[in-house]
Amino acid sequence: MSIGHTLLGLLESGPRHGYDLKRAFDERFGHDRPLHYGQVYATMSRLLKNGLVEVDGVETDGGPERKRYAITDAGITDVSAWLAQPEKPEPYLQSTLYTKVVLALLTGRDAADLLDAQRSEHLRLMRVLTDRKRKGDLADQLICDHALFHLEADLRWLELTAARLGRLAEVVAP
């Protein structure tokens, strides 16, 4: 996810302080990975330097200075271009799971046990996500569905690989 573009998009509704941007990001997108304040301010500094935001005001309220940022026309154009650009599908052509299976076979370890343990971990996470989906709002449901579909694909791969372990062992054997 592009943090910069996301923060720019949040600024389109009006100027905000860094703290407000962090809170809005975390509420909408950061359930599992909230932003660190340092990340917000470093990103805002870069966006400011690139002319995508401007300082709309500075407040002190008896404490440290708080800059209020506003998106510029260049920022709006940048967000529009980013939103219009399709994301590149991410095939897992060099998956860590595949690497572990091959290394297990190469080193005489039980690759079937590795696949069973991974299957159990996937199923555990699927139960957690299904529960979260059941209790969540629409945004949480959609995020969980995305993750669940990927986990289901991984499970299919685990089953297929388990069925082909004998042939794979013959291919990778030294």
Side-chain angles (χ1 to χ4, degrees):
M1 173 190 316
S2 170
I3 303 300
H5 287 111
T6 305
L7 294 177
L8 284 172
L10 291 171
L11 281 172
E12 281 202 48
S13 65
R16 298 181 190 214
H17 297 97
Y19 173 82
D20 296 329
L21 284 168
K22 178 199 175 344
R23 190 178 66 228
F25 180 96
D26 289 351
E27 286 173 3
R28 299 242 188 245
F29 312 108
H31 292 293
D32 297 315
R33 283 192 222 159
L35 285 179
H36 297 286
Y37 285 104
Q39 190 174 13
V40 172
Y41 293 110
T43 302
M44 296 312 296
S45 176
R46 189 180 74 251
L47 294 172
L48 186 64
K49 178 181 162 195
N50 292 335
L52 302 177
V53 298
E54 61 191 8
V55 175
D56 187 55
V58 178
E59 301 166 5
T60 56
D61 292 334
E65 285 188 351
R66 294 178 55 204
K67 293 179 184 174
R68 188 174 53 246
Y69 298 96
I71 191 168
T72 63
D73 289 341
I76 291 170
T77 300
D78 197 57
V79 170
S80 294
W82 179 67
L83 290 173
Q85 182 68 39
E87 288 296 311
K88 179 183 172 201
E90 297 283 339
Y92 299 108
L93 294 180
Q94 285 296 347
S95 105
T96 303
L97 290 175
Y98 172 76
T99 301
K100 286 185 168 187
V101 169
V102 170
L103 286 174
L105 292 171
L106 285 173
T107 59
R109 292 179 174 88
D110 192 337
D113 285 350
L114 182 150
L115 292 170
D116 287 341
Q118 191 63 54
R119 185 180 308 103
S120 294
E121 184 59 19
H122 271 61
L123 291 171
R124 183 200 63 76
L125 182 55
M126 289 176 83
R127 285 189 295 275
V128 169
L129 290 170
T130 300
D131 187 53
R132 176 176 161 183
K133 176 182 164 181
R134 192 176 310 115
K135 296 174 183 173
D137 60 11
L138 180 58
D140 223 25
Q141 292 169 9
L142 290 170
I143 289 168
C144 289
D145 279 339
H146 186 263
L148 285 165
F149 292 147
H150 281 274
L151 289 168
E152 286 175 10
D154 284 352
L155 282 175
R156 288 196 330 258
W157 181 86
L158 290 167
E159 294 300 325
L160 182 64
T161 302
R164 294 179 174 171
L165 269 182
R167 285 188 18 217
L168 183 59
E170 292 171 6
V171 171
V172 299

